[in-house]
Amino acid sequence: MNKIIKCNNLSYSYFNGKQETPILNNLNLSVKQGESIAILGQSGCGKSTLLNLLGGIDKPTQGEVLINGTNLGLLNENDTTLLRGKYLGFVYQFHHLLSDFSALDNVAMPERIQGKNQQFSQTNARKLLSKIGLEHHLNHLPSELSGGERQRVAIARALITNPSCILADEPTGNLDTKNANEVLNLMLTLNRVQNCALIVVTHDEKIAAKMDRALVLNHGVLTPLT
Ligand SMILES: Nc1ncnc2c1ncn2[C@@H]1O[C@H](COP(=O)(O)OP(=O)(O)OP(=O)(O)O)[C@@H](O)[C@H]1O
Ligand SMILES: [Mg+2]
């Protein structure tokens, strides 16, 4: 069976003129369907860079990323965007919701972008928001929601397309303990119920302990947390 995400000898450097700053160095990672993985590591070690490469948002300097068996390096930008939309969902530290759109429209947006009609995508968005306890906040703008509620909306937005894997970059970094737990438990429930793989970047070892595997990014490679 194909791994949902696989990267082989992945290297990435930032270039400032001729000055090269290596960030990832021959990194390998395999993610199975339904697996949950925490990625830890010091600030600046390259965790967000890695997620951007896995999602095809940035291109590796060397090596390859395969999403469900397809090598992103062989796709043009348009096909990369389509593949990302089909298999992956992103959740960021700061929710990145569109401020002028309601919770319902934010969650419906990925399907609208995929060309689904408004009624269809809003019905799906409404179901998903109800499932996560936000049925009374459908028409609220992001500025009219609490931090935890915004992050739950962001998770719903990542899930509406039924991704095979969620890439979450410090999704609870901005929340108090109670909201952080709710958001984390929501992601873990979806992981178990929908068999959606989960890659969570976190600084919190308690969160890492709830995942199937915890890996540390250090000197550009991933090693198991000991
Ligand atoms: N556009 C850029 N140009 C040059 N260097 C960059 C750029 N973006 C990030 N970097 C550097 O790359 C390194 C890795 O950044 P990255 O954002 O991936 O770290 P991180 O592990 O996510 O850190 P944090 O835990 O603070 O979010 C950092 O040293 C950062 O300064
Ligand atoms: Mg980061």
Side-chain angles (χ1 to χ4, degrees):
M1 196 186 79
N2 279 331
K3 303 281 190 267
I4 180 61
I5 291 186
K6 190 157 178 18
C7 48
N8 300 321
N9 302 318
L10 196 63
S11 295
Y12 189 81
S13 298
Y14 285 108
F15 288 92
N16 186 357
K18 280 191 177 159
Q19 169 81 30
E20 178 176 1
T21 309
I23 309 290
L24 305 179
N25 181 17
N26 275 316
L27 177 149
N28 292 297
L29 174 68
S30 264
V31 184
K32 284 188 282 195
Q33 190 69 51
E35 195 175 22
S36 61
I37 297 179
I39 296 181
L40 300 111
Q42 285 184 348
S43 178
C45 71
K47 303 179 298 295
S48 298
T49 304
L50 174 61
L51 288 199
N52 287 340
L53 292 173
L54 297 183
I57 291 162
D58 288 327
K59 300 262 170 264
T61 312
Q62 273 177 32
E64 54 187 21
V65 176
L66 287 84
I67 303 295
N68 202 35
T70 301
N71 184 346
L72 289 183
L74 303 177
L75 301 183
N76 62 28
E77 201 147 315
N78 201 24
D79 289 339
T80 304
T81 304
L82 287 176
L83 196 79
R84 184 191 306 132
K86 186 166 175 199
Y87 290 110
L88 305 178
F90 279 88
V91 182
Y92 300 92
Q93 178 174 9
F94 300 96
H95 54 84
H96 285 289
L97 297 174
L98 298 171
S99 57
D100 293 340
F101 288 81
S102 67
L104 186 70
D105 286 332
N106 265 286
V107 174
M109 193 64 69
E111 282 199 333
R112 295 288 288 141
I113 291 170
Q114 288 184 345
K116 307 270 166 53
N117 79 39
Q118 188 170 8
Q119 203 185 348
F120 175 89
S121 53
Q122 287 202 342
T123 302
N124 281 342
R126 195 173 290 117
K127 273 191 214 152
L128 203 49
L129 283 162
S130 299
K131 238 193 233 176
I132 61 174
L134 288 175
E135 62 274 27
H136 302 304
H137 297 76
L138 301 181
N139 296 316
H140 287 211
L141 295 172
S143 59
E144 299 164 344
L145 296 168
S146 74
E149 287 164 350
R150 281 179 213 150
Q151 202 58 327
R152 277 190 278 159
V153 173
I155 290 172
R157 178 186 53 182
L159 286 169
I160 191 153
T161 51
N162 278 322
S164 305
C165 181
I166 290 192
L167 304 171
D169 198 350
E170 296 187 53
T172 61
N174 256 330
L175 304 177
D176 62 33
T177 311
K178 179 174 171 287
N179 276 303
N181 278 333
E182 276 178 20
V183 164
L184 181 71
N185 288 335
L186 171 64
M187 289 201 294
L188 284 168
T189 304
L190 295 161
N191 164 248
R192 281 191 287 265
V193 173
Q194 302 193 4
N195 205 30
C196 173
L198 193 56
I199 301 182
V200 181
V201 165
T202 180
H203 287 279
D204 186 340
E205 290 202 13
K206 277 195 220 117
I207 292 180
K210 295 191 175 182
M211 305 287 156
D212 296 333
R213 285 198 282 155
L215 304 170
V216 183
L217 181 57
N218 193 14
H219 298 303
V221 292
L222 289 167
T223 48
L225 177 69
T226 49

